[in-house]
Amino acid sequence: MSIVIKIKEAASEAIKALYNVEIAAKDITVNATKPEFEGDYTIVIFSLIKQLRKAPDVAGNELGTYLTQHHANLFGSFNVIKGFLNLVVADQYWLQFLTNNYSNEHPGESARNGKKVMVEYSSPNTNKPLHLGHLRNNFLGWSTAAILNAGGYDIVKTCIVNDRGIHICKSMIAWQLFANGATPQSEGVKGDHFVGDYYVKFNEEYKKEVAALMAGGLSKEAAEKEAPIMKAAQQMLVDWEAGNPAVVELWKTMNEWVYAGFDETYKRIGSNFDKIYYESQTYLLGKDLVEDGLAKGVFTQRADGSVWIDLTADGLDEKIVRRKDGTSVYITQDIGLVVNKYEEYGCDQSIYVVGDEQNYHFKVLKLIAQKLGLPSADGIYHLSYGMVELPTGKMKSREGTVVDADDIVNEMISIARQKTEELGKVKDFTETELAALYNTIGLGALKFFLLRVDPKKKMIFNPEESIDFHGFTGPFVQYTYARIKSILRKVGNTEYNVSGNNESLLPLEKAVINQLEQFAGVIDECATEHDPSKLAIYVFNLAKIFNSFYTEHSISNAETADKKMLRLQLAQLTAHTIKSAMQLLGIEVPERM
């Protein structure tokens, strides 16, 4: 149980004892005390005075007196300033926390809670390689799943691959027209990059044909419809849906090239899935649900045979769920997949990690599922995130200006090498160790930079800025961990036992322990809000506070033997906590750097 919860429960008990008033612990506001005041945590009295019928200062002093008398093991002293009760936590509490936890290599983890959550992320198209936007998606999805797992949930990680449709056919047509039988193997090109090049080639050729038709007198709209290469792609989609053997065989071959490329990238960035769904296998799902919705009066059929749902009363609009020719639309497929997933896994919540351009789609999906009475409906959650841009601006797939994930990773490793060599502290590393270190620093910088921002916000990714050993970056946290491990190695293997528990804590010692104690609460907050950025901020602040402590206070030459052991406990728990926090972000920490 975190100290904030303990304070709330103690305050609730005190209010009941002093005033015979019942206020639930969860309704009591406790904040970290502002730096300009003495104290560790502050109870906000203003929100309680109506029920207590006391002046804020009077209530604050009465509560503070009760708490320090009846919970002396938790509170050392208090002060009241304008209706805020500032509590100084007893050194004994912090020391006991440190003694109980310093050897725990997995701090902050919760017991299993019996609930299951599905996290769906990545969702690539098989006409191009993963790009920078996919990296933010993968890192958010993987980290959210890891945090939920640490919070006690059972996790199922899934991916839906968009492997059918006109965009896939564009790459296929371009390959037929321009490849002359070339393959990724014959060209020495990674499969997803190979296919993506033909998607770009399609659009280049399409633009040429449209321009030629317009020069011949057609309007732009007519030219776009009549361009031969676009007509060929549309016909290929019809042939695929009809099961044309040659088309289906080419589709399978080119998709396999892409999957091989995806797998290589996923392995490199540390992304993985328990189950992969393919749109080619799910796009017919949901048709029965349309009939069910018509029978329940949730959907209505128009004169032309199309089926719709009216969501205007819910602040949205009317949405088609089946075309007049009987074919389903994306929302119908997604509803069908909702049912399919629930029947297979029975998850309490299903989190979709998808960009914010799909906010409306997921509002509609959840509403329709609820109106149909699907058991999984209330658990649908859209983890919406903003797009990633580069300092040079937006990226566009069809124009070939997207920054591929593989290229970004390569660049990050190259910058990591350059920055590390500039510091000149790795002369005793072997080439193999250096390669592993550069990979760890480069990927760590990339993940931390993309995860440190609130998912809902758009962001600009600057590779150079992300690898800074002194800023709000992954390498800064990694370096702090390596620094602590170096300190512990110099001390050698020993039991960090403190002979007595009467040591008084210096302000920076207390600050580090206070930060360490908050770790479990931060995991819980991140799990509840599906926001890994809070964890990135937390571990950065922990590293920063530890560095401030270590700058001021020696560990190996501490004032007393007990002080040395206490600080070794503090250093060891800090290392364990940094490593655990970074691993929940998908980031490895080097033992030395």
Side-chain angles (χ1 to χ4, degrees):
M1 183 189 300
S2 74
I3 191 169
V4 171
I5 294 175
K6 289 179 180 179
I7 293 172
K8 289 184 176 187
E9 291 185 350
S12 177
E13 172 212 307
I15 291 167
K16 174 66 175 173
L18 289 170
Y19 312 112
N20 198 30
V21 173
E22 302 246 359
I23 298 180
K26 65 180 178 60
D27 296 325
I28 297 172
T29 301
V30 176
N31 299 320
T33 302
K34 292 182 178 180
E36 59 265 33
F37 301 119
E38 181 188 2
D40 298 307
Y41 288 94
T42 299
I43 297 176
V44 180
I45 303 297
F46 285 114
S47 59
L48 308 174
I49 55 176
K50 283 187 179 180
Q51 291 157 287
L52 303 185
R53 298 181 181 179
K54 293 271 186 175
D57 286 355
V58 173
N61 277 291
E62 289 176 347
L63 278 172
T65 300
Y66 182 95
L67 290 171
T68 51
Q69 288 178 350
H70 291 79
H71 296 277
N73 62 328
L74 184 56
F75 304 112
S77 62
F78 74 93
N79 63 84
V80 179
I81 298 177
K82 296 182 179 179
F84 294 94
L85 171 56
N86 302 320
L87 296 162
V88 176
V89 177
D91 283 356
Q92 189 58 38
Y93 176 83
W94 299 121
L95 289 165
Q96 193 61 53
F97 169 81
L98 188 59
T99 299
N100 291 343
N101 293 280
Y102 77 91
S103 61
N104 183 1
E105 295 185 6
H106 303 284
E109 292 187 0
S110 299
R112 298 291 94 189
N113 59 27
K115 294 182 179 179
K116 184 183 288 187
V117 179
M118 178 178 288
V119 184
E120 178 183 290
Y121 57 98
S122 197
S123 306
N125 296 330
T126 57
N127 63 318
K128 55 191 175 185
L130 302 177
H131 55 64
L132 180 56
H134 286 114
L135 289 179
R136 189 179 196 191
N137 184 304
N138 273 266
F139 299 157
L140 273 173
W142 191 96
S143 182
T144 296
I147 289 167
L148 284 164
N149 184 60
Y153 296 85
D154 293 326
I155 303 300
V156 181
K157 294 184 287 188
T158 65
C159 172
I160 177 75
V161 178
N162 303 301
D163 64 341
R164 62 171 289 275
I166 190 65
H167 52 291
I168 310 297
C169 293
K170 289 177 180 178
S171 294
M172 293 165 63
I173 281 293
W175 183 85
Q176 284 185 330
L177 291 173
F178 307 112
N180 296 315
T183 67
Q185 292 76 21
S186 69
E187 301 302 302
V189 178
K190 194 162 167 277
D192 50 339
H193 290 263
F194 180 82
V195 173
D197 289 343
Y198 285 98
Y199 180 68
V200 173
K201 181 67 176 174
F202 175 93
N203 284 288
E204 290 172 349
E205 189 65 21
Y206 177 55
K207 284 182 179 179
K208 290 178 186 177
E209 291 184 358
V210 168
L213 290 169
M214 288 174 65
L218 286 181
S219 67
K220 183 179 180 182
E221 183 179 1
E224 288 173 345
K225 288 181 180 179
E226 294 300 320
I229 197 169
M230 181 61 77
K231 283 190 167 185
Q234 291 168 341
Q235 182 59 49
M236 179 169 277
L237 179 59
V238 172
D239 292 341
W240 181 88
E241 291 182 345
N244 181 295
V247 171
V248 170
E249 188 60 34
L250 176 60
W251 169 79
K252 286 181 179 178
T253 298
M254 293 186 71
N255 273 344
E256 286 302 323
W257 293 340
V258 175
Y259 297 148
F262 284 172
D263 288 345
E264 189 177 325
T265 303
Y266 285 140
K267 184 176 180 180
R268 195 176 189 196
I269 65 174
S271 203
N272 61 303
F273 312 97
D274 300 306
K275 175 68 178 280
I276 296 179
Y277 294 94
Y278 299 90
E279 191 187 341
S280 58
Q281 298 170 5
T282 64
Y283 79 105
L284 297 177
L285 293 175
K287 288 190 172 183
D288 292 342
L289 289 169
V290 174
E291 295 301 325
D292 183 49
L294 283 169
K296 290 179 177 178
V298 175
F299 302 145
T300 56
Q301 190 161 7
R302 295 187 176 177
D304 64 358
S306 61
V307 178
W308 296 70
I309 184 170
D310 187 352
L311 298 173
T312 53
D314 299 286
L316 303 178
D317 58 12
E318 294 181 294
K319 180 74 178 177
I320 189 170
V321 295
R322 190 172 70 193
R323 300 185 186 92
K324 62 183 179 181
D325 61 3
T327 57
S328 62
V329 294
Y330 272 112
I331 197 74
T332 322
Q333 301 165 30
D334 284 350
I335 297 166
L337 192 53
V338 164
V339 174
N340 184 274
K341 289 176 178 177
Y342 187 77
E343 290 175 347
E344 188 171 4
Y345 292 104
C347 292
D348 299 280
Q349 187 178 46
S350 186
I351 299 171
Y352 297 81
V353 184
V354 183
D356 57 11
E357 74 276 8
Q358 293 294 327
N359 285 351
Y360 183 83
H361 175 85
F362 282 99
K363 286 180 183 177
V364 172
L365 176 64
K366 184 166 185 172
L367 263 176
I368 293 177
Q370 287 173 328
K371 290 178 184 295
L372 288 172
L374 303 182
S376 53
D378 291 340
I380 293 172
Y381 181 89
H382 177 206
L383 202 174
S384 173
Y385 66 91
M387 294 294 102
V388 186
E389 296 180 8
L390 293 168
T392 53
K394 293 183 179 180
M395 305 175 292
K396 297 179 181 177
S397 298
R398 68 191 63 182
E399 294 177 10
T401 60
V402 162
V403 178
D404 293 335
D406 298 314
D407 294 338
I408 281 285
V409 171
N410 290 337
E411 182 179 357
M412 294 300 296
I413 293 171
S414 176
I415 296 173
R417 174 188 291 272
Q418 173 197 333
K419 299 262 188 180
T420 305
E421 288 177 349
E422 285 173 3
L423 293 175
K425 294 183 178 181
V426 290
K427 294 178 181 178
D428 59 335
F429 281 60
T430 67
E431 283 302 315
T432 301
E433 289 172 334
L434 282 175
L437 179 64
Y438 299 146
N439 188 73
T440 298
I441 294 173
L443 268 176
L446 175 62
K447 291 185 179 184
F448 194 91
F449 201 91
L450 292 180
L451 288 172
R452 72 179 193 175
V453 177
D454 184 327
K456 292 183 286 293
K457 294 180 180 178
K458 291 183 179 180
M459 66 176 297
I460 295 176
F461 174 68
N462 187 326
E464 288 284 345
E465 183 185 339
S466 70
I467 300 186
D468 180 350
F469 289 92
H470 304 286
F472 179 19
T473 65
F476 171 77
V477 180
Q478 290 172 321
Y479 180 75
T480 301
Y481 175 83
R483 186 183 198 186
I484 296 172
K485 296 299 286 187
S486 175
I487 295 166
L488 296 176
R489 280 194 298 271
K490 288 176 183 176
V491 173
N493 295 326
T494 183
E495 287 294 324
Y496 307 145
N497 293 323
V498 180
S499 61
N501 284 327
N502 298 317
E503 290 284 342
S504 60
L505 291 170
L506 296 171
L508 284 171
E509 292 171 335
K510 181 192 281 191
V512 178
I513 302 173
N514 189 342
Q515 185 76 2
L516 291 167
E517 194 275 342
Q518 296 173 31
F519 185 42
V522 172
I523 291 176
D524 184 61
E525 184 180 3
C526 292
T528 301
E529 299 183 16
H530 308 314
D531 182 2
S533 72
K534 296 180 184 297
L535 186 58
I537 293 167
Y538 166 82
V539 74
F540 167 70
N541 285 331
L542 174 59
K544 191 166 61 169
I545 292 168
F546 180 87
N547 281 313
S548 296
F549 152 76
Y550 188 62
T551 299
E552 293 293 324
H553 303 295
S554 173
I555 294 178
S556 58
N557 296 314
E559 299 85 344
T560 66
D562 274 356
K563 268 291 184 190
K564 179 178 180 179
M565 291 302 104
L566 184 150
R567 290 175 185 172
L568 285 169
Q569 287 183 353
L570 186 151
Q572 181 160 290
L573 183 54
T574 300
H576 290 330
T577 303
I578 287 176
K579 184 173 185 177
S580 295
M582 293 291 269
Q583 285 180 338
L584 293 180
L585 297 172
I587 300 171
E588 293 301 316
V589 283
E591 294 294 307
R592 61 192 187 114
M593 61 187 290

